Amino acid sequence: MKKLILGIFVLAICFSCSNDEIDSETIITNVDITTEAIIAQQASTAINGEYKGAINPVTLTPQSRFNTNAKGMYHGIIVSSDTEIHGKIWINLENDGKYNAIVVTNTDDKLSFFGNMGRALSKNSFSEITFVGERGSFVYDVSDYNNPIATAVVIDGKEGYIETVKDRSDQRADVALGTYVDTDDATFAGTWDLMTDGTLDPIIGLPILTQTCTVGPTGAMFTDMTMEPFDWSCFVGSVQTFTPIFARFGDPNNPLSGNEFWAQGQTLAIGDTNASYSIGVSTMVSDANGETVGLFNVDLTGANPAIGCYVSFGVQGVWEWNGRSGTIAFDDDAFMVPPTRSIETIQGFKKALQGYK
């Protein structure tokens, strides 16, 4: 059974964890002298949009020699339990000889963290890497570098969550920050983030969506890493079933050179009740039909979709659960109006779709 993604919906579950603020001094007492020295010498909050002390994710890229071991780069999301802090995180494990991390929030605040070497379990495996910054701390474990785990996350004195994936030179990780809300109840809301580890769909060659993460009013995070294939029944030819896609404009692995985010008809098992959601942004469909967001049940193969096959909700995503329903929105340039591509690019992709079954 799939993990619950919409954690706010499980109202019957009692959470034993308290969301009270945590004394930051308690967190720092377990940091060894190496990390304390690094903090004293280097830690500083980014000012005026500059990256101070820690990595600059714009310029630092993963080294290929670390693609198959625990060192290198990791990328993901960070959220405080009250969702007031919501951002992307890049973690550097000796990719440039140092151990540090940077958080860039959805309000463009930049938070630096600095770490020790942790405990070497083997040549390519580390655990208990403690990162500390002026506004928080967390412990990172890459005993399995394909399944990195962050614990004891504290930011601005609050409990938080970090979810990351390995970032490789030939398979770049990426995330998109999102939120959701009940259409009729503005208090029923939280974060909704998308992640890809860069794995390419074997047929159409676009990165697939590999994980979704959500935090709601209960203060708990729930993740889902089981994406269901979905059907677009009005596709012509042999095109019928797709894997959810996460492809950003500018991604070298995106042959369309546009924004393609497809996750239609996803079903979430929540106890005895199922939740469903759909996300859709497509430059290709925008080119053909003049729409920019909310592209659902779309016939990608023709400029004139068949009746009943093309529906635009005017939003980037929708969800339903137990009589509730609402929308999903993403605070990311990739979900804005997509750039227009050439007719040759679109036609080439349509041809590739014909082999997708």
Side-chain angles (χ1 to χ4, degrees):
M1 181 175 288
K2 294 184 59 179
K3 287 185 178 180
L4 170 64
I5 183 174
L6 301 182
I8 64 165
F9 297 141
V10 188
L11 303 180
I13 296 178
C14 295
F15 297 96
S16 59
C17 299
S18 170
N19 289 330
D20 295 338
E21 292 190 350
I22 298 173
D23 185 355
S24 61
E25 292 183 0
T26 302
I27 299 300
I28 297 177
T29 54
N30 293 325
V31 180
D32 67 21
I33 189 65
T34 302
T35 302
E36 289 180 347
I38 293 174
I39 297 299
Q41 295 173 14
Q42 301 185 49
S44 61
T45 302
I47 301 174
N48 298 327
E50 298 180 359
Y51 295 91
K52 299 287 187 178
I55 57 175
N56 183 338
V58 176
T59 59
L60 185 62
T61 57
Q63 293 194 40
S64 59
R65 63 194 177 108
F66 299 138
N67 284 347
T68 57
N69 64 55
K71 296 180 181 179
M73 298 292 297
Y74 296 81
H75 185 31
I77 59 98
I78 180 171
V79 188
S80 61
S81 58
D82 62 2
T83 71
E84 290 185 3
I85 302 296
H86 185 203
K88 302 178 182 182
I89 187 170
W90 289 260
I91 299 174
N92 170 29
L93 301 186
E94 211 173 313
N95 189 71
D96 63 350
K98 301 176 182 178
Y99 287 77
N100 50 36
I102 193 78
V103 169
V104 181
T105 71
N106 59 346
T107 58
D108 205 35
D109 288 334
K110 298 177 177 65
L111 317 177
S112 299
F113 295 83
F114 302 87
N116 61 4
M117 283 187 61
R119 183 164 61 96
L121 303 179
S122 67
K123 180 180 179 181
N124 297 319
S125 177
F126 297 88
S127 67
E128 300 175 5
I129 306 171
T130 302
F131 286 85
V132 180
E134 291 183 337
R135 292 176 58 179
S137 61
F138 62 94
V139 178
Y140 205 53
D141 186 325
V142 287
S143 301
D144 177 359
Y145 61 83
N146 289 312
N147 183 35
I149 298 173
T151 57
V153 180
V154 176
I155 185 166
D156 286 351
K158 307 165 187 175
E159 291 178 286
Y161 307 94
I162 292 173
E163 290 288 328
T164 56
V165 292
K166 177 77 170 175
D167 193 8
R168 296 173 169 86
S169 64
D170 58 352
Q171 187 177 309
R172 298 306 307 273
D174 200 359
V175 302
L177 303 181
T179 57
Y180 69 92
V181 65
D182 186 313
T183 303
D184 298 319
D185 180 3
T187 66
F188 201 78
T191 61
W192 190 311
D193 302 329
L194 308 180
M195 298 174 58
T196 179
D197 65 5
T199 299
L200 300 182
D201 180 278
I203 304 298
I204 60 177
L206 296 180
I208 63 173
L209 177 64
T210 53
Q211 185 170 343
T212 57
C213 310
T214 185
V215 176
T218 63
M221 172 178 277
F222 291 85
T223 63
D224 175 36
M225 294 183 287
T226 306
M227 304 292 120
E228 300 100 342
F230 59 93
D231 293 332
W232 274 336
S233 59
C234 54
F235 274 89
V236 300
S238 60
V239 182
Q240 294 180 359
T241 305
F242 283 86
T243 299
I245 295 296
F246 183 121
R248 183 191 298 275
F249 171 70
D251 182 345
N253 290 319
N254 181 0
L256 292 178
S257 298
N259 300 319
E260 305 294 336
F261 292 81
W262 317 336
Q264 308 299 310
Q266 299 296 293
T267 300
L268 312 169
I270 307 175
D272 295 329
T273 306
N274 287 332
S276 63
Y277 74 93
S278 291
I279 295 169
V281 173
S282 173
T283 301
M284 180 169 52
V285 175
S286 176
D287 289 346
N289 301 284
E291 298 286 349
T292 56
V293 297
L295 307 172
F296 306 95
N297 302 321
V298 179
D299 178 0
L300 299 180
T301 59
N304 300 304
I307 296 174
C309 288
Y310 181 70
V311 180
S312 174
F313 292 101
V315 294
Q316 297 166 338
V318 293
W319 58 267
E320 295 181 355
W321 176 82
N322 201 26
R324 288 183 178 269
S325 63
T327 59
I328 305 168
F330 295 91
D331 184 16
D332 194 298
D333 289 343
F335 288 86
M336 300 300 105
V337 178
T340 300
R341 282 89 36 75
S342 68
I343 295 298
E344 290 76 15
T345 298
I346 299 172
Q347 290 176 341
F349 188 66
K350 288 180 181 179
K351 183 177 180 180
L353 287 175
Q354 301 306 312
Y356 199 100
K357 299 181 179 181

